[in-house]
Amino acid sequence: MTSPTPPVDAPGPLAGIRVVELLTLGPGAHAATMLADLGAEVVLVARPGWLAQQGADPDHTRRGRVLVEANLKDPRDRDEVMALIDRADVLLEGFRPGVLERLGMGPRDCGTRNPRLIYARMTGWGQTGPRAQQAGHDINYIALTGHLHAIARYGQAPVPPLNLVGDYGGGSMFATLGITAALAERQSSGRGQTIDAAMVDGASMLGHWMWAMRPRGRWSDIPGTNLLDTGRPFYDVYETLDGGYMAVGALEPQFFSSFVAGLGLDEVPDQHDSDRYGEQREIFTRVFKTRTRHEWTEIFAGTDACVTPVLSYEEAARDPHLVARGTIVESQGITQPAPAPRFSRTDRRTVAGPPRTVTPVREIWASANPG
């Protein structure tokens, strides 16, 4: 059944949900952005002077917020923020364990005043465990989970996958999932709860398939020898004549056949003959270097060969498929990803800008009932 076209300015599925975000770095900001994209009212609490420090280049990772500034070490400012939290549905924070408790703003303090509050805590190591008080970054979190070790070609050093796996995949995505799940549960219980969203936990969960394959003998701890880590010549990237690259993901036999046909080959070694993987890879490497990336893109367009060009961010913004879907948008002169996922009735495609003014705390949700 075809879904009706949603209104241009649909409110979003989280319309009416009030979120207080205590200023955090990358993954915390990303989680709050996704909540704002989904229609939640997000209030960013930053230290005094934070907006002025941004200068003429506003922080677009904070899109869709209302900004207040407060010194949480000042009792009067802290009391105003606590009164704001009294009227919120969600509090999102990313301090080290114990910091907010020492300020009288921990889960127990806030939950006593607002029993319906969802208190989301996002850290790298989690609220408990030997490393809970240590500093760390994405590379450290994924190193401990086994993922960094696994992301490498055979015999080569691991390659950090930007900060997508720990910070965003394991951190902000699972924090957002926890918040939305807790909001759903609150509908029946009427009670809030605290979420311990640790990047090591979320990143580990991202590797569920690899963990499931290991006891079945289908995933080795030797990088570059497995199905999805460049251990197979039909799941890898190949350089083209002009120095570009094509990504090949021809896993299934019918897709492999389409891939081989696109290369113009009549016969290649059997897809799963591991003794001839080296020969297979040499053939693919040689053939890909006979044409440019654009030429290969045209050849494989519209096929089920699972072959695509490897694009830069700039090129991705112009890709016909992403353009047709509006996946990458321009808002206030900044090219950026559009909100995701999409909804049939409450889709919110308008991208709001970052805060450019400071709003007094007392004016936020002034008419809202606590909780």
Side-chain angles (χ1 to χ4, degrees):
M1 183 177 68
T2 302
S3 300
T5 302
V8 175
D9 293 316
L14 292 184
I17 297 298
R18 302 185 295 269
V19 179
V20 173
E21 172 199 1
L22 302 184
L23 184 68
T24 59
L25 298 177
H30 188 239
T33 292
M34 288 190 289
L35 295 173
D37 284 349
L38 294 173
E41 302 171 36
V42 180
V43 176
L44 171 63
V45 179
R47 60 188 177 276
W50 179 83
L51 183 63
Q53 293 173 357
Q54 307 305 305
D57 184 22
D59 185 355
H60 281 265
T61 67
R62 312 280 177 176
R63 73 187 188 197
R65 273 69 146 189
V66 172
L67 172 67
V68 302
E69 293 186 344
N71 177 7
L72 297 182
K73 294 182 179 180
D74 183 307
R76 283 187 291 187
D77 280 11
R78 188 166 61 245
D79 286 346
E80 283 194 327
V81 172
M82 286 294 285
L84 187 65
I85 294 170
D86 289 346
R87 301 190 292 274
D89 297 289
V90 177
L91 172 67
L92 175 62
E93 63 96 358
F95 292 95
R96 292 197 200 192
V99 169
L100 289 179
E101 282 84 349
R102 290 191 290 274
L103 290 173
M105 298 179 68
R108 182 173 299 179
D109 305 296
C110 295
T112 298
R113 297 170 54 134
N114 182 359
R116 291 174 54 83
L117 181 70
I118 308 300
Y119 197 116
R121 322 193 79 172
M122 184 165 56
T123 59
W125 305 116
Q127 298 297 309
T128 59
R131 295 181 183 269
Q133 291 296 332
Q134 286 185 312
H137 285 295
D138 179 288
I139 193 171
N140 308 117
Y141 310 139
I142 66 172
L144 209 68
T145 62
H147 290 330
L148 184 57
H149 172 83
I151 303 174
R153 291 184 176 275
Y154 180 75
Q156 298 184 22
V159 177
L162 306 182
N163 64 333
L164 300 177
V165 177
D167 281 355
Y168 300 125
S172 57
M173 298 301 291
F174 279 87
T176 306
L177 172 64
I179 289 168
T180 52
L183 287 170
E185 190 278 339
R186 192 182 69 174
Q187 291 181 331
S188 58
S189 70
R191 300 169 59 194
Q193 57 183 307
T194 302
I195 300 167
D196 178 2
M199 294 172 205
V200 289
D201 296 347
S204 292
M205 183 58 188
L206 291 177
H208 179 261
W209 188 84
M210 288 75 177
W211 282 98
M213 293 298 103
R214 292 178 72 254
R216 300 168 62 186
R218 296 177 60 184
W219 192 272
S220 167
D221 274 348
I222 302 174
T225 65
N226 298 290
L227 182 65
L228 304 178
D229 63 359
T230 73
R232 305 291 185 270
F234 47 84
Y235 198 91
D236 206 342
V237 296
Y238 291 92
E239 187 175 2
T240 59
L241 178 64
D242 57 343
Y245 290 90
M246 298 296 291
V248 177
L251 294 174
E252 292 80 1
Q254 68 273 27
F255 302 155
F256 182 77
S257 296
S258 181
F259 165 56
V260 171
L263 291 179
L265 299 172
D266 295 326
E267 187 177 348
V268 295
D270 180 79
Q271 179 180 6
H272 295 293
D273 185 349
S274 58
D275 291 334
R276 302 185 69 183
Y277 280 164
E279 182 182 350
Q280 211 182 88
R281 193 182 300 276
E282 288 177 5
I283 294 172
F284 299 159
T285 299
R286 172 177 53 79
V287 174
F288 268 114
K289 285 190 175 181
T290 63
R291 297 178 186 271
T292 66
R293 189 187 67 174
H294 176 73
E295 289 174 321
W296 286 120
T297 300
E298 292 295 308
I299 287 171
F300 286 107
T303 74
D304 280 344
C306 302
V307 179
T308 51
V310 178
L311 303 181
S312 68
Y313 289 126
E314 182 178 351
E315 291 170 326
R318 302 193 303 268
D319 176 74
H321 181 78
L322 302 187
V323 169
R325 287 186 57 79
T327 300
I328 309 296
V329 297
E330 184 174 318
S331 177
Q332 301 182 11
I334 299 295
T335 302
Q336 55 193 293
R342 305 184 186 204
F343 300 83
S344 63
R345 290 187 297 102
T346 58
D347 204 39
R348 197 163 185 257
R349 306 307 296 166
T350 302
V351 178
R356 296 176 181 272
T357 59
V358 179
T359 301
V361 179
R362 62 182 176 274
E363 295 182 8
I364 304 295
W365 304 325
S367 61
N369 295 322

